[in-house]
Amino acid sequence: MRTVEEHQRVVAALIARRAPVSVPIADALGLVLADDVVAPLSLPGFDNSAMDGYAVDADDVATATPEHPVRLPVAEDIPAGRTDVLTLKSGTAHRIMTGAMLPAGATAVVPVEATNAAIDTVEIRAGARPGQHIRRAGEDVTAGTAVLHAGQVVTPAALGLAAALGLGELTVIPRQRVLVMSTGTELVAPGTPLAPGQIYESNAVMLAAALRDAGADVVASAMTGDDVDSFRDALARHTGDADLIITTGGVSAGAYEVVKDALGGSVEFVKVAMQPGMPQGCGRVDNTPIITLPGNPVSALVSFEVFIRSPLRAAMGLANPDRPRRTAVLTEHITSPRGKRQFRRGVLDDDAGMVTSYGPPASHHLRWLASANCLLEIAEDVDALPAGSQVQVWDLT
């Protein structure tokens, strides 16, 4: 029987990083930069006004007060976006809007609140120091500077910076493309009336959501019965679009184990010393990695957490690919099968540092997993933990 760590290493070795690609910035959110981003221009690109007001020579308004304003003719009106290059003559003012290019010769901007807001002859009612309310070219970014770095996750702010620099694309590590296949003749799609002996398919929905939550793309969520030819046909239709295939069901020791029957020559099926999730498999189909998970819902999702989520995120360059782990104090006595690593659903009170086992340990109790916020990890050599014991916890939030 394979240990959890041994199977983790085998699975991790199958999941490879894709080559970097350039994508439009609108599609880059949440991806990881493959290269540094070097600014092709400075920000701001020109001296501009930080306020709505009047561009002046600071010396012309040095004596201005509310009681003794300085009156200057308004020679130009400069809205943001005006592109002709202007020069301020001494003894005049230019009305200017926030973000507009500063005229040559202007050394300060007087806010409109310190004037009478006139458009012909303006009363300046406060002096201005040189440089006041002026944004200097390059004070935010200097052309040639690396402003974003390889390994950095593309955030909304990073996209805003890229757009401000005129960049239409970013070079990123692409998402892993994953095909999810759920097997079982008893499965029917939600919304279809159930016949006796049938159940609604849930694993593909659940795993597709888990994959997207981990940062991957789901190329398809296929459902097949227990017919080997139908399974192979469905696999063949989608394999070319996927970097990874995940199947659920059909890997146990009974009859009608379609995944085992169809992939016996390509996939190594093993038992892993864990509960839930003992039957596992992995290998390649037409050189595409495939990981076969058990069909019970809790087993499938716990297996995803234990074996797939971390290497999948690492292959996309995401920092901290592992779930946060910590120890907490157990509030109750629990038992565990000696010889197997047990992953129990739990509710963690992070503030108190206490954790409670939540629901039965059997692998079909999905309701309890849906309301749990952690997994309790209990070692193989432990068969009981009394209340008050320290226990390892995986934070699922």
Side-chain angles (χ1 to χ4, degrees), residues 101-124:
M101 184 164 55
L102 198 73
T107 60
V109 173
V110 178
V112 67
E113 293 83 358
T115 74
N116 65 348
I119 60 174
D120 47 8
T121 299
V122 63
E123 289 186 359
I124 306 295

Side-chain angles (χ1 to χ4, degrees), residues 66-355:
E67 296 77 18
H68 302 287
V70 172
R71 294 176 175 82
L72 298 174
V74 179
E76 293 285 352
D77 198 40
I78 313 175
R82 184 168 174 177
T83 58
D84 51 328
V85 179
L86 300 173
T87 299
L88 177 78
K89 294 180 179 179
S90 181
T92 68
H94 289 183
R95 191 169 75 139
I96 193 167
M97 302 300 119
T98 302
M101 184 164 55
L102 198 73
T107 60
V109 173
V110 178
V112 67
E113 293 83 358
T115 74
N116 65 348
I119 60 174
D120 47 8
T121 299
V122 63
E123 289 186 359
I124 306 295
R125 297 168 178 166
R129 67 182 185 281
Q132 177 176 294
H133 302 310
I134 295 174
R135 301 167 177 160
R136 295 299 183 187
E139 71 176 31
D140 184 16
V141 173
T142 302
T145 301
V147 292
L148 299 170
H149 299 281
Q152 186 172 343
V153 176
V154 179
T155 63
L159 288 175
L161 176 58
L165 291 169
L167 301 174
E169 294 184 335
L170 292 172
T171 302
V172 297
I173 301 169
R175 300 185 192 278
Q176 291 282 306
R177 301 166 299 184
V178 186
L179 166 63
V180 179
M181 295 188 65
S182 189
T183 66
T185 302
E186 73 277 16
L187 303 178
V188 296
T192 304
L194 290 174
Q198 292 183 326
I199 61 173
Y200 288 121
E201 198 289 315
S202 60
N203 282 354
V205 173
M206 177 177 65
L207 289 173
L211 286 160
R212 293 186 181 102
D213 181 65
D217 280 336
V218 178
V219 298
S221 300
M223 180 176 67
T224 72
D226 291 327
D227 179 75
V228 169
D229 290 336
S230 296
F231 174 79
R232 286 174 174 162
D233 287 344
L235 194 61
R237 284 197 301 273
H238 300 290
T239 297
D241 301 324
D243 305 303
L244 174 67
I245 304 163
I246 299 175
T247 69
T248 68
V251 295
S252 296
Y256 306 106
E257 302 295 345
V258 64
V259 176
K260 265 189 170 181
D261 294 341
L263 302 178
S266 306
V267 171
E268 181 185 15
F269 294 98
V270 299
K271 292 181 179 180
V272 177
M274 65 183 287
Q275 184 192 59
M278 183 175 69
Q280 300 284 337
C282 58
R284 292 183 181 273
V285 174
D286 295 332
N287 208 39
T288 300
I290 185 167
I291 301 167
T292 66
L293 305 180
N296 277 317
V298 175
S299 297
L301 191 56
V302 168
S303 298
F304 174 84
E305 290 287 342
V306 174
F307 299 118
I308 301 174
R309 189 179 191 274
S310 178
L312 187 75
R313 287 175 56 81
M316 294 182 287
L318 294 166
N320 305 314
D322 295 336
R323 290 286 193 185
R325 300 179 195 180
R326 53 164 296 179
T327 58
V329 177
L330 192 61
T331 64
E332 61 186 334
H333 178 273
I334 59 174
T335 60
S336 181
R338 183 175 289 274
K340 292 183 179 180
R341 183 89 51 91
Q342 190 177 50
F343 293 91
R344 293 279 290 266
R345 288 132 283 184
V347 175
L348 173 66
D349 183 338
D350 202 37
D351 293 334
M354 309 287 285
V355 67

